[in-house]
Amino acid sequence: MKVIYCGYRGTYGAYLMAALHTGLYKGDRLPNGKLIKGHFEMCRLYGEQYGNLIYVGVDEELREIYALGCKRFFSVIQKAQTNVNRIFGLDEELYHIDAGRVEGFLPRVIGFLLAHDVNARLCEKLFFYWFRYKYRCLAKAVNEEKQRLKKARQKNKGR
């Protein structure tokens, strides 16, 4: 199974949720400043790449975890990937999670400012603020999704 976290941009909320899912970031505590700065640098360099799957790692159930930027086309991407799998007879099950609903609006603003070469230091401060503000909320959302995946797996075993 592949779990794909989809956000407006793949490097902000979607990547953060995928990193929480795989354990790169521990949900019970905020990462250190060096990790957050590294995350910001990834957003600065690759935030405008939509449609590219970013492989983040595997979780404890050996599911592959990805992040994907899809602007406002979550449902279109979800249907397209699912139907391409069906057309080509791929057995790989896909599980899409909409990160855009919980990441908030600030990543869009930061991405817009970065794309228009506005002061990178200002953008970095905004990113640190957003990261600290949303971290616990996103960690909670990831835990809820992991519980849904666990229930779905148990339900499929019972069949």
Side-chain angles (χ1 to χ4, degrees), residues 16 21-22 30 34 74 77 93 97 109 115 121 124 132 138-139 144 149 157:
L16 176 54
H21 190 116
T22 60
L30 201 63
K34 187 176 179 181
F74 172 73
I77 298 292
E93 185 180 350
I97 300 166
V109 172
R121 185 74 180 133
E124 184 178 348
R132 289 185 178 115
L138 293 171
E144 290 170 0
L149 283 166
K157 278 186 177 180

Side-chain angles (χ1 to χ4, degrees), residues 67-110:
L68 174 69
C70 56
K71 289 195 174 187
R72 293 186 185 111
F73 300 108
F74 172 73
S75 62
V76 174
I77 298 292
Q78 182 181 20
K79 289 175 187 173
Q81 288 179 337
T82 302
N83 287 324
V84 164
N85 272 9
R86 192 175 306 139
I87 289 168
F88 290 106
L90 303 175
D91 291 335
E92 190 71 48
E93 185 180 350
L94 302 176
Y95 186 80
H96 293 83
I97 300 166
D98 186 4
R101 62 184 170 80
V102 289
E103 74 180 345
F105 187 74
L106 197 53
R108 290 187 204 172
V109 172
I110 297 167

